[in-house]
Amino acid sequence: MTPSILIVGATGNTGRAVAQTLPKLLQSSTTLSGHRIIALTRSSTSPVAQELAKIPGVEVVEQNWVEITADWLREHQVARAYIASHNEPNQFAEESTFYVNALDAGVKYVVRISTTAANVRPDCPAYYPRQHWAIETLLGSPEFKELQWTSLQPNVFTTFVMSPAAEFIKKYRKTGEQDTLRLILSKDGPTGIIDPDEVGVIAAYLLAQDDTSVHNKAKYVLNGPEDITGKGIVEMVEQYIGTSVKDVSYGDLSFIDMLYEYQYAATKQSKNVIYSVKRAAETSWEGKCSTSTTSKEILKLAPPKRTPADVLKDLLGE
């Protein structure tokens, strides 16, 4: 069996683009052209999984990544891996277990998805960026020196930010009525939101590097090609509907109330922990997440090109 590159979450927000991009890059690689690509999914019958299975060189495997052992990694001869973990309160326990097993199995290089760079610190009020900080600290320890890694710190995804605007436009076109336009961005804080597919493309380029040592222990900041503000989104919406938006709620985090009610209320998860997510957007509102923070290495490797306007157009099916 030949060595493989594992894509955890291949049917997810960013993993799909990794699986779609990597095969072509490996063809021109001097050291990786013979490597297999394992696209991991929880359901091999899903439409996305079935599409990935059609790509030459991609093998779709149904497996829950949190149950992967060192023996499993050795059996599949995993040499490199991509991982986009969940951000549940138990993320550190499950993701760190994967890396301990990867180290034991002799995996050589991992590309992982972190979160907004300005939040990845030990004193972030929101819980999940602290988990990413802890993972990066663990990987940077002497005990993990044999496992090379790169952590991608992408800004908030364009689809998440622009979807409320798209739904607002769709409803207005259908009914002529306006609800409140609820936007997670502040009115004036410039934010370099990024398309999740382009995050996956960047990850694929890193995984396809013949020499990964130049990216070892790197923490790369990822933003889209241009900044957007809440006010800028409102202006886009008004261009589409041909009239003024009557009511806008900037910095709107009411979705977290619904998230807790429908996903966590019946569990034993701490409400205090879950509601700390509301603090994650503060750095964006303060203007700390603009395109000026993008790592120069990313601009050389695979610079993101999709703008907020491009994404809104796609969400509207135009």
Side-chain angles (χ1 to χ4, degrees):
M1 185 180 292
T2 56
S4 67
I5 299 176
L6 175 67
I7 303 174
V8 171
T11 56
N13 280 335
T14 58
R16 178 176 56 182
V18 180
Q20 292 170 333
T21 307
L22 189 56
K24 295 178 182 178
L25 297 178
L26 294 188
Q27 290 175 6
S28 58
S29 171
T30 57
T31 60
L32 303 170
S33 58
H35 280 52
R36 299 173 296 124
I37 297 173
I38 299 176
L40 216 62
T41 179
R42 284 179 294 183
S43 174
S44 59
T45 60
S46 71
V48 176
Q50 291 179 339
E51 285 300 314
L52 294 180
K54 298 176 183 177
I55 301 174
V58 174
E59 177 188 358
V60 174
V61 174
E62 195 170 290
Q63 168 70 43
N64 186 348
W65 72 271
V66 302
E67 302 301 336
I68 286 177
T69 63
D71 286 341
W72 190 98
L73 293 167
R74 280 189 285 263
E75 178 186 345
H76 291 82
Q77 294 192 26
V78 176
R80 300 183 179 187
Y82 168 82
I83 179 168
S85 176
H86 59 76
N87 62 357
E88 300 291 316
N90 63 338
Q91 175 196 344
F92 179 83
E94 293 188 335
E95 189 175 349
S96 63
T97 296
F98 178 88
Y99 297 130
V100 170
N101 289 331
L103 182 67
D104 185 19
V107 175
K108 299 302 182 184
Y109 179 56
V110 171
V111 177
R112 69 177 299 273
I113 299 299
S114 182
T115 189
T116 305
N119 288 338
V120 184
R121 60 184 201 272
D123 64 341
C124 182
Y127 81 86
Y128 68 90
R130 296 196 303 269
Q131 296 189 134
H132 285 292
W133 171 83
I135 287 289
E136 291 174 354
T137 302
L138 175 143
L139 290 173
S141 67
E143 290 82 356
F144 278 82
K145 65 180 180 180
E146 297 302 319
L147 177 60
Q148 295 188 1
W149 58 278
T150 303
S151 193
L152 300 181
Q153 299 177 333
N155 212 327
V156 62
F157 291 157
T158 49
T159 45
F160 181 64
V161 173
M162 302 304 295
S163 289
E167 293 307 310
F168 184 95
I169 293 168
K170 290 177 182 177
K171 180 173 181 179
Y172 181 82
R173 286 175 168 176
K174 184 177 181 179
T175 68
E177 298 177 355
Q178 294 191 23
D179 289 329
T180 299
L181 177 56
R182 301 184 183 278
L183 302 175
I184 190 174
L185 298 188
S186 64
K187 183 177 181 180
D188 299 311
T191 305
I193 61 178
I194 185 168
D195 188 285
D197 281 345
E198 294 192 309
V199 175
V201 169
I202 291 166
Y205 271 87
L206 287 166
L207 289 167
Q209 296 293 300
D210 289 320
D211 179 13
T212 60
S213 64
V214 295
H215 301 289
N216 185 30
K217 299 183 180 180
K219 304 169 189 176
Y220 292 143
V221 181
L222 277 56
N223 296 294
E226 63 182 44
D227 290 326
I228 189 68
T229 63
K231 181 181 178 181
I233 296 176
V234 172
E235 291 172 352
M236 286 186 192
V237 171
E238 290 177 340
Q239 290 177 357
Y240 272 100
I241 66 176
T243 188
S244 298
V245 175
K246 296 177 181 178
D247 186 22
V248 183
S249 177
Y250 293 109
D252 192 296
L253 301 173
S254 57
F255 70 92
I256 296 174
D257 298 313
M258 292 184 287
L259 177 69
Y260 179 79
E261 180 180 354
Y262 292 106
Q263 186 171 337
Y264 294 108
T267 72
K268 295 182 179 181
Q269 298 287 1
S270 164
K271 185 175 182 180
N272 189 34
V273 169
I274 302 303
Y275 268 74
S276 73
V277 174
K278 290 192 175 187
R279 301 290 302 277
E282 292 175 359
T283 48
S284 167
W285 300 343
E286 294 166 355
K288 296 179 180 178
C289 305
S290 70
T291 56
S292 64
T293 63
T294 305
S295 296
K296 63 181 185 300
E297 293 86 352
I298 296 304
L299 298 178
K300 294 178 181 179
L301 191 68
K305 299 176 181 178
R306 283 174 55 76
T307 66
D310 293 332
V311 173
L312 181 57
K313 186 176 181 179
D314 285 349
L315 289 171
L316 293 171
E318 298 182 357

